Amino acid sequence: MANQGVHDPINTGRRRFLTATTAVVGAVGAGFAAVPFIKSWNPSARAKLAGAPVTADITGLAEGQRLILEWRGQPIWIVKRSKAILDALPTLDGHLRDPKSDNKDQQPAYITGELRSIKPDISVLVGLCTHLGCSPEMKAEIRPEPFDPEWKGGYFCPCHKSRFDMAGRVFQGVPAPINLLVPPHHYENDNTIVIGVDPAKGA
Ligand code: FES
């Protein structure tokens, strides 16, 4: 299947997905017991859909806006970042737990550097906190916030106050252990992103 791989998030969304998958397999097992001469089995349409790639059209996405999709039962955020936000990202490195994203489980191998994206301005993230799976709030403006007077834009998780920058990099001293995950994805053309397929396997 094209979108299987090592980038599966470790979070509640992932656990829900695995639970559903297990339920499907269990039902198939019962079918084999009742009809022992079935020669092959094709995954159900529902099982195929659960892992299918998702396509996003970002033609109308303006700076500061976020498009939210669902892929494998998880929210996927596509955010267009302004130049001010991009300029601020490197200045945050000293406050982050893993500024260079050295933990390779957090993103595909082709996602590197402070921006953590294929195109500088477009960020694609799994929108689930890496602590216990809450969905963080987007606080995309550079302005003082109650939880950080020097806020440079990012994501704030209200559950236990984890903070991430606009590249999904986690701050030091918060419960979330790793950066927000980046799903496998590629650009089919300038304004079409396919979530769930790496560039080498895509267009
Ligand atoms: S779930 Fe986000 S900080 Fe705990």
Side-chain angles (χ1 to χ4, degrees), residues 129-134 136 157-162 164 175-176:
C129 181
T130 54
H131 180 219
L132 295 177
C134 288
C157 185
C159 293
H160 313 96
K161 302 185 172 24
S162 286
F164 306 86

Side-chain angles (χ1 to χ4, degrees), residues 5 43 83 115 123 156 170 182:
K83 183 174 184 311
L115 304 186
S123 172
F156 175 69
V170 68
V182 178

Side-chain angles (χ1 to χ4, degrees), residues 63-119:
E63 273 187 6
Q65 282 189 332
R66 173 175 54 172
L67 183 62
I68 303 178
L69 310 169
E70 184 179 335
W71 173 68
R72 291 189 171 187
Q74 306 162 105
I76 302 297
W77 298 342
I78 301 176
V79 176
K80 186 160 186 169
R81 299 175 291 199
S82 66
K83 183 174 184 311
I85 289 288
L86 296 177
D87 289 345
L89 288 174
T91 72
L92 294 170
D93 285 11
H95 303 282
L96 306 173
R97 202 190 292 279
D98 182 9
K100 304 296 183 195
S101 287
D102 290 329
N103 179 347
K104 303 302 179 200
D105 293 337
Q106 301 167 149
Q107 63 277 313
Y110 47 87
I111 301 295
T112 57
E114 276 115 349
L115 304 186
R116 302 184 76 224
S117 58
I118 295 175
K119 291 189 178 183

Side-chain angles (χ1 to χ4, degrees), residues 24-25 36 175 185:
V24 171
V25 172
H185 65 282

Side-chain angles (χ1 to χ4, degrees), residues 1-71:
M1 195 177 297
N3 52 2
Q4 287 177 333
V6 297
H7 313 304
D8 288 334
I10 304 166
N11 52 43
T12 53
R14 170 71 172 153
R15 283 196 288 274
R16 279 197 297 274
F17 174 73
L18 287 173
T19 303
T21 305
T22 303
V24 171
V25 172
V28 171
F32 271 117
V35 187
F37 299 115
I38 293 176
K39 288 181 181 168
S40 64
W41 171 70
N42 292 318
S44 68
R46 184 179 165 196
K48 283 182 185 170
L49 196 61
V54 174
T55 299
D57 180 359
I58 60 167
T59 305
L61 194 65
E63 273 187 6
Q65 282 189 332
R66 173 175 54 172
L67 183 62
I68 303 178
L69 310 169
E70 184 179 335
W71 173 68

